Amino acid sequence: MANVLCVLYDDPAEGYPPPYPRDDVPQIDRYPGGQTTPSPERLDFRPGELLGCVSGELGLRSFLEQRGHRLIVTSDKDGPGSQFERELPEAEVVISQPFWPAYLTAERIAQAPKLKLAITAGIGSDHVDLQAAIERGITVAEVTYSNSISVSEHVVMMILALVRNYLPSHQVVREGGWNIADCVSRSYDLEGMQVGTVAAGRIGSAVLRRLKPFEVGLHYTDRHRLPEAEERELGVTFHPTAEELVEVCDVVTINAPLHPETEHLFDERLIGRMKRGAYLVNTARGKICDRDAVARALESGQLAGYAGDVWFPQPAPRDHPWRTMPHHGMTPHVSGTSLSAQARYAAGTREILECFLDGRPIREEYLIVDGGRLAGAGAHAYSPGDATGGSAEAARFSAS
Ligand code: NDP
């Protein structure tokens, strides 16, 4: 019998299940490029249901209990004495979503002698100390591609919202006002602007593809260059470094994983190399940006706007400066957990669990760490190391 410890976000404030505005979600069988969507033996949920919160249980309970395993689901994840820390010593599998990450630091891994598998229900396993997982021989797997397109849609939405000054104009209406000049004095067209992505992986290249019809100049930087035919088809210009990219762009979107190479990449210096009045959209990971450098750049006008859904740590403390800085379009971490995305990553989590429990190999493209080294998608996009430093501060949210 395995103990499966699953950390999910809290239920809706009005109770579970919520009333759903739609009856179904489109069925997606393949991602761009041909990879198939998750294919577990069966599903015990209806796609479109809220699965990522505690009562949703990622639709895993009957599957695990029928096989004789124990499923523990909690949102109480931070601080000593949290249910997560209390259950960790017996856990063989930990499941966590980046939206409400159960930080698996080296200290916590040391408290989990039975831990064999850490599953990210979603994409982005930076909440796990990957170096410690490598050293302990723990497998880290995520549901690659499950919400990449979801995020790319969100990035396009946030770019348009910032450039066109959507959120402040919406606020004018909500407050009963009609001052057009207030709405438009920060509003521009995206057409003709230069837009660049830091990383052109699954999300970054989907952003480029979606922005092409907007008649903008497209730019990217990445560790590996896209095939020449793809560059030509998209009409995108490659820049060898983030510095060279940001200097020519009016809008920059960050779509790289958080790992030692990208931690605090957007610091005072790099933001200082951006064009005055540039927009920065970060749905990748909060820690890729220096928190205070972003707030200062918005106050000085070096940045005209900043939007995204990722913070560090998560949940963000109530006094986090990104909640109150000017010209921001931040949300909690939501872009990759639409009901549509949840159906895919819940199915992918079950597929990974079926493989693990049956002793079958997990799909190569889902692996981040395996056999004591970076593997699969992790070997391509990450570097070894730890990006969890400072995550204990997440406990301040529930304490305040
Ligand atoms: P991919 O692995 O497809 O793409 C990541 C890309 O980042 C790869 O092309 C990789 O390069 C590139 N990269 C890695 N390090 C660097 C670097 N130092 N400089 C430039 N490029 C770099 O992943 P996805 O596109 O699907 O997801 C990207 C990230 O987005 C995730 O890791 C996660 O952090 C975040 N995310 C956020 C979500 C949300 O809800 N907000 C949901 C899903 C993901 P290469 O492989 O060529 O070496």
Side-chain angles (χ1 to χ4, degrees):
M1 185 207 70
N3 278 311
V4 178
L5 176 54
C6 183
V7 173
L8 300 176
Y9 44 77
D10 286 318
D11 282 357
E14 300 294 322
Y16 186 92
Y20 295 105
R22 295 179 54 80
D23 299 326
D24 56 17
V25 291
Q27 170 77 27
I28 311 284
D29 297 321
R30 280 180 191 277
Y31 304 111
Q35 183 189 315
T36 53
T37 49
S39 48
E41 282 159 15
R42 52 168 288 185
L43 290 180
D44 295 319
F45 61 81
R46 191 175 52 79
E49 287 174 358
L50 179 58
L51 303 164
C53 65
V54 171
S55 294
E57 300 182 322
L58 293 177
L60 293 173
R61 184 164 298 278
S62 56
F63 152 67
L64 286 169
E65 289 185 348
Q66 276 164 19
R67 288 174 168 231
H69 304 296
R70 179 167 169 254
L71 174 69
I72 308 109
V73 182
T74 181
S75 64
D76 181 20
K77 70 183 184 73
D78 295 307
S82 59
Q83 192 179 354
F84 180 64
E85 289 211 350
R86 290 201 309 276
E87 299 283 354
L88 206 44
E90 292 302 317
E92 200 171 316
V93 180
V94 164
I95 303 170
S96 167
Q97 299 170 114
F99 323 104
W100 187 255
Y103 293 104
L104 265 177
T105 57
E107 296 71 35
R108 282 177 157 183
I109 286 176
Q111 289 167 34
K114 299 182 179 168
L115 185 61
K116 294 196 179 74
L117 173 66
I119 302 177
T120 303
I123 303 174
S125 297
D126 50 276
H127 59 281
V128 180
D129 180 335
L130 297 181
Q131 190 60 41
I134 287 170
E135 285 161 19
R136 254 285 302 282
I138 294 166
T139 296
V140 181
E142 59 185 49
V143 192
T144 302
Y145 232 145
S146 58
N147 53 13
S148 303
I149 300 300
S150 324
V151 178
S152 71
E153 291 184 2
H154 212 84
V155 171
V156 173
M157 175 185 80
M158 286 184 148
I159 291 174
L160 289 168
L162 285 184
V163 173
R164 302 202 58 87
N165 207 33
Y166 169 56
L167 291 171
S169 306
H170 179 64
Q171 193 60 26
V172 165
V173 173
R174 293 186 76 96
E175 288 167 359
W178 195 263
N179 191 313
I180 308 274
D182 276 349
C183 297
V184 301
S185 53
R186 296 187 67 87
S187 175
Y188 297 90
D189 292 352
L190 184 62
E191 183 184 21
M193 286 192 174
Q194 304 301 311
V195 185
T197 173
V198 174
R202 293 172 183 85
I203 298 174
S205 57
V207 169
L208 293 171
R209 213 160 274 285
R210 277 157 183 71
L211 284 177
K212 192 177 175 218
F214 282 87
E215 312 281 352
V216 292
L218 292 174
H219 304 261
Y220 81 103
T221 183
D222 198 293
R223 299 199 302 193
H224 298 90
R225 210 163 158 170
L226 292 170
E228 208 181 315
E230 200 173 338
E231 277 190 7
R232 214 170 324 114
E233 184 208 335
L234 290 168
V236 62
T237 305
F238 174 73
H239 300 265
T241 64
E243 283 78 6
E244 287 159 272
L245 174 97
V246 303
E247 282 172 358
V248 299
C249 287
D250 303 290
V251 180
V252 174
T253 154
I254 307 174
N255 298 298
L258 169 63
H259 58 111
E261 278 175 24
T262 57
E263 186 167 343
H264 293 147
L265 176 67
F266 278 77
D267 57 7
E268 191 100 44
R269 198 190 53 83
L270 188 60
I271 294 173
R273 304 240 336 224
M274 297 176 78
K275 289 170 76 170
R276 190 192 80 84
Y279 302 90
L280 185 55
V281 170
N282 177 14
T283 53
R285 283 297 179 262
K287 223 188 194 186
I288 297 176
C289 292
D290 178 307
R291 183 191 71 177
D292 296 332
V294 166
R296 277 196 299 272
L298 287 167
E299 276 150 23
S300 72
Q302 173 61 15
L303 286 178
Y306 181 93
D309 65 334
V310 285
W311 308 65
F312 188 81
Q314 291 187 173
R318 290 176 210 273
D319 60 357
H320 193 294
W322 290 4
R323 290 182 186 269
T324 49
M325 63 192 180
H327 314 304
H328 82 78
M330 294 299 296
T331 64
H333 193 164
V334 293
S335 66
T337 185
S338 59
L339 295 175
S340 326
Q342 288 176 42
R344 287 187 296 274
Y345 70 67
T349 301
R350 173 151 175 180
E351 181 188 326
I352 292 169
L353 281 170
E354 285 175 359
C355 291
F356 172 75
L357 296 169
D358 294 346
R360 286 184 280 122
I362 295 167
R363 281 198 215 195
E364 182 73 9
E365 65 256 32
Y366 289 168
L367 294 175
I368 301 299
V369 170
D370 193 43
R373 58 179 178 83
L374 290 174
H380 209 270
Y382 284 80
S383 57
D386 169 35
T388 64
S391 56
E393 214 206 336
R396 276 182 53 214
F397 178 80
S398 359
S400 57

